[in-house]
PDB file of all heavy atoms in Angstrom:
ATOM      1  N   ALA A  18      87.684 187.674-181.553  1.00 97.00           N
ATOM      2  CA  ALA A  18      88.140 188.431-182.724  1.00 97.00           C
ATOM      3  C   ALA A  18      89.516 189.055-182.478  1.00 97.00           C
ATOM      4  O   ALA A  18      90.378 189.066-183.375  1.00 97.00           O
ATOM      5  CB  ALA A  18      87.122 189.509-183.080  1.00 97.00           C
ATOM      6  N   VAL A  19      89.729 189.561-181.281  1.00 98.00           N
ATOM      7  CA  VAL A  19      91.026 190.169-180.947  1.00 98.00           C
ATOM      8  C   VAL A  19      92.127 189.115-180.986  1.00 98.00           C
ATOM      9  O   VAL A  19      93.202 189.332-181.562  1.00 98.00           O
ATOM     10  CB  VAL A  19      90.970 190.853-179.564  1.00 98.00           C
ATOM     11  CG1 VAL A  19      92.369 191.236-179.090  1.00 98.00           C
ATOM     12  CG2 VAL A  19      90.072 192.084-179.621  1.00 98.00           C
ATOM     13  N   VAL A  20      91.862 187.958-180.379  1.00 98.00           N
ATOM     14  CA  VAL A  20      92.862 186.893-180.370  1.00 98.00           C
ATOM     15  C   VAL A  20      93.147 186.415-181.790  1.00 98.00           C
ATOM     16  O   VAL A  20      94.314 186.201-182.172  1.00 98.00           O
ATOM     17  CB  VAL A  20      92.396 185.717-179.484  1.00 98.00           C
ATOM     18  CG1 VAL A  20      93.339 184.517-179.631  1.00 98.00           C
ATOM     19  CG2 VAL A  20      92.328 186.149-178.032  1.00 98.00           C
ATOM     20  N   LEU A  21      92.119 186.267-182.598  1.00 98.00           N
ATOM     21  CA  LEU A  21      92.315 185.837-183.983  1.00 98.00           C
ATOM     22  C   LEU A  21      93.186 186.826-184.745  1.00 98.00           C
ATOM     23  O   LEU A  21      94.097 186.432-185.490  1.00 98.00           O
ATOM     24  CB  LEU A  21      90.964 185.675-184.686  1.00 98.00           C
ATOM     25  CG  LEU A  21      91.025 185.261-186.159  1.00 98.00           C
ATOM     26  CD1 LEU A  21      91.614 183.866-186.303  1.00 98.00           C
ATOM     27  CD2 LEU A  21      89.640 185.328-186.800  1.00 98.00           C
ATOM     28  N   GLN A  22      92.920 188.118-184.570  1.00 97.00           N
ATOM     29  CA  GLN A  22      93.717 189.136-185.246  1.00 97.00           C
ATOM     30  C   GLN A  22      95.179 189.074-184.799  1.00 97.00           C
ATOM     31  O   GLN A  22      96.102 189.182-185.624  1.00 97.00           O
ATOM     32  CB  GLN A  22      93.139 190.524-184.960  1.00 97.00           C
ATOM     33  CG  GLN A  22      93.894 191.672-185.619  1.00 97.00           C
ATOM     34  CD  GLN A  22      93.903 191.580-187.131  1.00 97.00           C
ATOM     35  OE1 GLN A  22      92.916 191.147-187.735  1.00 97.00           O
ATOM     36  NE2 GLN A  22      95.011 191.959-187.749  1.00 97.00           N
ATOM     37  N   LEU A  23      95.403 188.879-183.510  1.00 97.00           N
ATOM     38  CA  LEU A  23      96.769 188.784-182.997  1.00 97.00           C
ATOM     39  C   LEU A  23      97.482 187.550-183.550  1.00 97.00           C
ATOM     40  O   LEU A  23      98.656 187.622-183.938  1.00 97.00           O
ATOM     41  CB  LEU A  23      96.752 188.747-181.471  1.00 97.00           C
ATOM     42  CG  LEU A  23      96.324 190.031-180.760  1.00 97.00           C
ATOM     43  CD1 LEU A  23      96.193 189.796-179.264  1.00 97.00           C
ATOM     44  CD2 LEU A  23      97.303 191.164-181.035  1.00 97.00           C
ATOM     45  N   VAL A  24      96.777 186.430-183.593  1.00 97.00           N
ATOM     46  CA  VAL A  24      97.380 185.208-184.131  1.00 97.00           C
ATOM     47  C   VAL A  24      97.726 185.390-185.599  1.00 97.00           C
ATOM     48  O   VAL A  24      98.832 185.034-186.051  1.00 97.00           O
ATOM     49  CB  VAL A  24      96.444 183.998-183.926  1.00 97.00           C
ATOM     50  CG1 VAL A  24      96.969 182.774-184.669  1.00 97.00           C
ATOM     51  CG2 VAL A  24      96.293 183.679-182.441  1.00 97.00           C
ATOM     52  N   ASN A  25      96.812 185.954-186.366  1.00 97.00           N
ATOM     53  CA  ASN A  25      97.070 186.153-187.798  1.00 97.00           C
ATOM     54  C   ASN A  25      98.190 187.156-188.041  1.00 97.00           C
ATOM     55  O   ASN A  25      98.905 187.069-189.041  1.00 97.00           O
ATOM     56  CB  ASN A  25      95.790 186.612-188.497  1.00 97.00           C
ATOM     57  CG  ASN A  25      94.794 185.483-188.686  1.00 97.00           C
ATOM     58  OD1 ASN A  25      95.168 184.313-188.721  1.00 97.00           O
ATOM     59  ND2 ASN A  25      93.522 185.830-188.784  1.00 97.00           N
ATOM     60  N   THR A  26      98.354 188.097-187.129  1.00 96.00           N
ATOM     61  CA  THR A  26      99.415 189.091-187.281  1.00 96.00           C
ATOM     62  C   THR A  26     100.784 188.524-186.919  1.00 96.00           C
ATOM     63  O   THR A  26     101.781 188.775-187.619  1.00 96.00           O
ATOM     64  CB  THR A  26      99.121 190.326-186.404  1.00 96.00           C
ATOM     65  OG1 THR A  26      97.871 190.894-186.799  1.00 96.00           O
ATOM     66  CG2 THR A  26     100.225 191.370-186.547  1.00 96.00           C
ATOM     67  N   GLU A  27     100.850 187.761-185.848  1.00 96.00           N
ATOM     68  CA  GLU A  27     102.132 187.278-185.346  1.00 96.00           C
ATOM     69  C   GLU A  27     102.560 185.939-185.934  1.00 96.00           C
ATOM     70  O   GLU A  27     103.749 185.662-186.029  1.00 96.00           O
ATOM     71  CB  GLU A  27     102.074 187.153-183.811  1.00 96.00           C
ATOM     72  CG  GLU A  27     101.835 188.461-183.086  1.00 96.00           C
ATOM     73  CD  GLU A  27     102.980 189.448-183.287  1.00 96.00           C
ATOM     74  OE1 GLU A  27     104.141 188.994-183.424  1.00 96.00           O
ATOM     75  OE2 GLU A  27     102.710 190.661-183.293  1.00 96.00           O
ATOM     76  N   VAL A  28     101.614 185.109-186.314  1.00 96.00           N
ATOM     77  CA  VAL A  28     101.930 183.767-186.825  1.00 96.00           C
ATOM     78  C   VAL A  28     101.471 183.725-188.280  1.00 96.00           C
ATOM     79  O   VAL A  28     100.355 183.306-188.593  1.00 96.00           O
ATOM     80  CB  VAL A  28     101.242 182.670-185.985  1.00 96.00           C
ATOM     81  CG1 VAL A  28     101.757 181.286-186.383  1.00 96.00           C
ATOM     82  CG2 VAL A  28     101.466 182.901-184.499  1.00 96.00           C
ATOM     83  N   ARG A  29     102.344 184.153-189.156  1.00 93.00           N
ATOM     84  CA  ARG A  29     101.973 184.368-190.549  1.00 93.00           C
ATOM     85  C   ARG A  29     102.065 183.128-191.413  1.00 93.00           C
ATOM     86  O   ARG A  29     101.674 183.139-192.576  1.00 93.00           O
ATOM     87  CB  ARG A  29     102.867 185.458-191.157  1.00 93.00           C
ATOM     88  CG  ARG A  29     102.721 186.822-190.522  1.00 93.00           C
ATOM     89  CD  ARG A  29     101.294 187.331-190.611  1.00 93.00           C
ATOM     90  NE  ARG A  29     100.784 187.311-191.985  1.00 93.00           N
ATOM     91  CZ  ARG A  29      99.511 187.310-192.304  1.00 93.00           C
ATOM     92  NH1 ARG A  29      98.586 187.286-191.352  1.00 93.00           N
ATOM     93  NH2 ARG A  29      99.129 187.311-193.566  1.00 93.00           N
ATOM     94  N   THR A  30     102.607 182.045-190.868  1.00 94.00           N
ATOM     95  CA  THR A  30     102.688 180.781-191.605  1.00 94.00           C
ATOM     96  C   THR A  30     102.014 179.695-190.787  1.00 94.00           C
ATOM     97  O   THR A  30     101.918 179.795-189.557  1.00 94.00           O
ATOM     98  CB  THR A  30     104.155 180.394-191.873  1.00 94.00           C
ATOM     99  OG1 THR A  30     104.859 180.311-190.625  1.00 94.00           O
ATOM    100  CG2 THR A  30     104.834 181.421-192.773  1.00 94.00           C
ATOM    101  N   PRO A  31     101.536 178.635-191.426  1.00 95.00           N
ATOM    102  CA  PRO A  31     100.905 177.543-190.680  1.00 95.00           C
ATOM    103  C   PRO A  31     101.860 176.977-189.640  1.00 95.00           C
ATOM    104  O   PRO A  31     103.038 176.725-189.928  1.00 95.00           O
ATOM    105  CB  PRO A  31     100.580 176.513-191.764  1.00 95.00           C
ATOM    106  CG  PRO A  31     100.483 177.303-193.016  1.00 95.00           C
ATOM    107  CD  PRO A  31     101.491 178.398-192.883  1.00 95.00           C
ATOM    108  N   TYR A  32     101.344 176.774-188.432  1.00 94.00           N
ATOM    109  CA  TYR A  32     102.187 176.327-187.330  1.00 94.00           C
ATOM    110  C   TYR A  32     101.844 174.901-186.922  1.00 94.00           C
ATOM    111  O   TYR A  32     100.676 174.541-186.780  1.00 94.00           O
ATOM    112  CB  TYR A  32     102.045 177.256-186.124  1.00 94.00           C
ATOM    113  CG  TYR A  32     102.983 176.890-184.999  1.00 94.00           C
ATOM    114  CD1 TYR A  32     104.359 176.999-185.178  1.00 94.00           C
ATOM    115  CD2 TYR A  32     102.505 176.387-183.799  1.00 94.00           C
ATOM    116  CE1 TYR A  32     105.239 176.628-184.161  1.00 94.00           C
ATOM    117  CE2 TYR A  32     103.360 176.024-182.781  1.00 94.00           C
ATOM    118  CZ  TYR A  32     104.730 176.148-182.968  1.00 94.00           C
ATOM    119  OH  TYR A  32     105.599 175.772-181.977  1.00 94.00           O
ATOM    120  N   MET A  33     102.865 174.087-186.737  1.00 92.00           N
ATOM    121  CA  MET A  33     102.743 172.686-186.333  1.00 92.00           C
ATOM    122  C   MET A  33     101.761 171.941-187.235  1.00 92.00           C
ATOM    123  O   MET A  33     101.914 171.965-188.447  1.00 92.00           O
ATOM    124  CB  MET A  33     102.370 172.578-184.850  1.00 92.00           C
ATOM    125  CG  MET A  33     103.561 172.853-183.932  1.00 92.00           C
ATOM    126  SD  MET A  33     103.271 172.449-182.192  1.00 92.00           S
ATOM    127  CE  MET A  33     103.121 170.686-182.240  1.00 92.00           C
ATOM    128  N   ASP A  34     100.736 171.318-186.665  1.00 92.00           N
ATOM    129  CA  ASP A  34      99.837 170.505-187.482  1.00 92.00           C
ATOM    130  C   ASP A  34      99.006 171.334-188.454  1.00 92.00           C
ATOM    131  O   ASP A  34      98.387 170.775-189.367  1.00 92.00           O
ATOM    132  CB  ASP A  34      98.902 169.691-186.583  1.00 92.00           C
ATOM    133  CG  ASP A  34      99.636 168.575-185.863  1.00 92.00           C
ATOM    134  OD1 ASP A  34     100.842 168.409-186.104  1.00 92.00           O
ATOM    135  OD2 ASP A  34      99.006 167.868-185.043  1.00 92.00           O
ATOM    136  N   GLU A  35      98.974 172.646-188.267  1.00 95.00           N
ATOM    137  CA  GLU A  35      98.273 173.495-189.225  1.00 95.00           C
ATOM    138  C   GLU A  35      98.793 173.294-190.646  1.00 95.00           C
ATOM    139  O   GLU A  35      98.036 173.407-191.599  1.00 95.00           O
ATOM    140  CB  GLU A  35      98.438 174.974-188.854  1.00 95.00           C
ATOM    141  CG  GLU A  35      97.421 175.515-187.890  1.00 95.00           C
ATOM    142  CD  GLU A  35      97.463 177.027-187.825  1.00 95.00           C
ATOM    143  OE1 GLU A  35      98.578 177.601-187.932  1.00 95.00           O
ATOM    144  OE2 GLU A  35      96.394 177.644-187.674  1.00 95.00           O
ATOM    145  N   GLN A  36     100.081 173.038-190.781  1.00 94.00           N
ATOM    146  CA  GLN A  36     100.645 172.907-192.126  1.00 94.00           C
ATOM    147  C   GLN A  36      99.969 171.784-192.906  1.00 94.00           C
ATOM    148  O   GLN A  36      99.761 171.899-194.119  1.00 94.00           O
ATOM    149  CB  GLN A  36     102.150 172.674-192.053  1.00 94.00           C
ATOM    150  CG  GLN A  36     102.566 171.419-191.321  1.00 94.00           C
ATOM    151  CD  GLN A  36     104.061 171.258-191.238  1.00 94.00           C
ATOM    152  OE1 GLN A  36     104.748 171.337-192.258  1.00 94.00           O
ATOM    153  NE2 GLN A  36     104.585 171.062-190.035  1.00 94.00           N
ATOM    154  N   PHE A  37      99.611 170.697-192.215  1.00 94.00           N
ATOM    155  CA  PHE A  37      98.936 169.585-192.883  1.00 94.00           C
ATOM    156  C   PHE A  37      97.465 169.916-193.137  1.00 94.00           C
ATOM    157  O   PHE A  37      96.929 169.659-194.230  1.00 94.00           O
ATOM    158  CB  PHE A  37      99.056 168.316-192.047  1.00 94.00           C
ATOM    159  CG  PHE A  37     100.457 168.012-191.602  1.00 94.00           C
ATOM    160  CD1 PHE A  37     100.775 167.957-190.256  1.00 94.00           C
ATOM    161  CD2 PHE A  37     101.463 167.802-192.530  1.00 94.00           C
ATOM    162  CE1 PHE A  37     102.065 167.684-189.835  1.00 94.00           C
ATOM    163  CE2 PHE A  37     102.767 167.520-192.130  1.00 94.00           C
ATOM    164  CZ  PHE A  37     103.067 167.471-190.774  1.00 94.00           C
TER     165      PHE A  37
END
Side-chain angles (χ1 to χ4, degrees):
V19 169
V20 172
L21 178 65
Q22 180 61 36
L23 291 173
V24 171
N25 285 336
T26 300
E27 298 296 328
V28 189
R29 297 301 306 159
T30 57
Y32 184 65
M33 284 191 67
D34 289 357
E35 273 193 325
Q36 61 182 308
F37 310 119

